Amino acid sequence: MRIARVASGDQPRYAVIELAEDNGDHPETASFLTGDPAAGQVQYTGERVPLTEVRLLAPVIPRSKVLGVGRNYAAHATEMGNEVPAEPLVFFKPNTSVIGPGEAVVRPAGSTELSFEGELAVVIGRVCKQVPAERVPEVILGYTIANDITARDWQASDSQWSRAKGADTFCPLGPYLITHLSVEEASNLDITTTVNGEVRQQGNTRDMVRSIVDQIVWISQWTTLLPGDVILTGTPAGVGPIGPGDECSITVTGLGTLTNPFVGDSPVDG
């Protein structure tokens, strides 16, 4: 199932999205749902509108947390001059950093060095703690695309990454929440990132140092995961600078394309 959170009327709503690629004879539509997919309670309302009549939002706004796994592709660790850590390197991004497709990433005042990082994101679907490997598929609601924006200058100057990773707009998610993929399928997806149409990253989730299963097992040993929590699984090599006036697109096989423009904190910066 391809689920989106959309702007329609006064309140955001969830909808199942049907695209032309699913059935070439069917118009692209949004079929509205009641309830919240992260709560496991949704029903069709019977309302269906053309996709052009809604605006896509971030498919999930985490109630609790976004967790990022750093240096989880060996080639990316190398390009940043780092070793692959002996244990997963995990950081938090607040839910206030989350934005949706088409929304602008804002370079905050005081930072001059933003970087893009295209990633597969895992969305948790139930309360869980100390999840054994064989039960990981049961706690995953679905998958989406993320851009783990990082202020490299702040990352270098601060003793931790909260400011560098957690500023407002630093976690674009979307365009859809894909719920039908198995863990095995999600573990072999191409990731391609472009900036202004130029390819910057090309990788595959099979190249993760620690698999999706390993990440959830490890993280859930020390923190309770809640419905709607998001895990950013790491980025392939090729990350680089991006700034006001640029546009970044991340495509993951079967998940669509997440595109966001970049602007400065003032009109002068775009």
Side-chain angles (χ1 to χ4, degrees), residues 98-129:
V98 173
I99 59 173
E103 294 186 70
V105 175
V106 181
R107 186 180 68 187
S111 174
T112 59
E113 298 178 29
L114 296 195
S115 182
F116 59 86
E117 296 186 15
E119 311 200 8
L120 174 72
V122 180
V123 180
I124 299 299
R126 64 175 62 180
V127 179
C128 57
K129 180 74 181 292

Side-chain angles (χ1 to χ4, degrees), residues 46-87:
E47 300 172 82
R48 175 183 287 175
V49 300
L51 189 58
T52 54
E53 293 185 11
V54 300
R55 178 170 59 88
L56 297 179
L57 306 173
V60 61
I61 295 294
R63 298 172 180 83
S64 175
K65 53 191 175 290
V66 177
L67 301 106
V69 180
R71 304 175 194 168
N72 197 37
Y73 288 74
H76 170 59
T78 298
E79 75 178 350
M80 300 303 292
N82 298 306
E83 301 285 339
V84 172
E87 291 187 323

Side-chain angles (χ1 to χ4, degrees), residues 87-239:
E87 291 187 323
L89 177 61
V90 177
F91 55 89
F92 289 96
K93 295 172 85 85
N95 57 13
T96 50
S97 67
V98 173
I99 59 173
E103 294 186 70
V105 175
V106 181
R107 186 180 68 187
S111 174
T112 59
E113 298 178 29
L114 296 195
S115 182
F116 59 86
E117 296 186 15
E119 311 200 8
L120 174 72
V122 180
V123 180
I124 299 299
R126 64 175 62 180
V127 179
C128 57
K129 180 74 181 292
Q130 297 178 339
V131 183
E134 65 272 14
R135 301 199 66 180
V136 164
E138 300 174 25
V139 309
I140 296 175
L141 174 61
Y143 303 89
T144 191
I145 303 171
N147 196 342
D148 176 22
I149 308 299
T150 307
R152 294 295 182 202
D153 46 350
W154 289 354
Q155 188 179 38
S157 64
D158 296 354
S159 59
Q160 39 71 39
W161 296 359
S162 297
R163 187 168 65 136
K165 295 281 192 177
D168 290 351
T169 75
F170 273 24
C171 190
L173 296 176
Y176 313 112
L177 173 65
I178 305 298
T179 63
H180 59 266
L181 286 181
S182 68
V183 174
E184 291 75 21
E185 290 170 322
S187 300
N188 186 20
L189 301 176
D190 291 328
I191 300 175
T192 302
T193 303
T194 65
V195 176
N196 303 327
E198 179 183 342
V199 174
R200 299 290 185 85
Q201 288 183 286
Q202 286 187 308
N204 188 287
T205 56
R206 65 173 173 263
D207 296 325
M208 291 181 187
V209 175
R210 293 170 179 92
S211 68
I212 295 167
V213 170
D214 290 344
Q215 291 176 57
I216 292 176
V217 168
W218 193 86
I219 290 170
S220 70
Q221 297 308 301
W222 51 268
T223 190
T224 299
L225 294 171
L226 302 178
D229 282 355
V230 177
I231 297 173
L232 311 184
T233 59
T235 193
V239 302

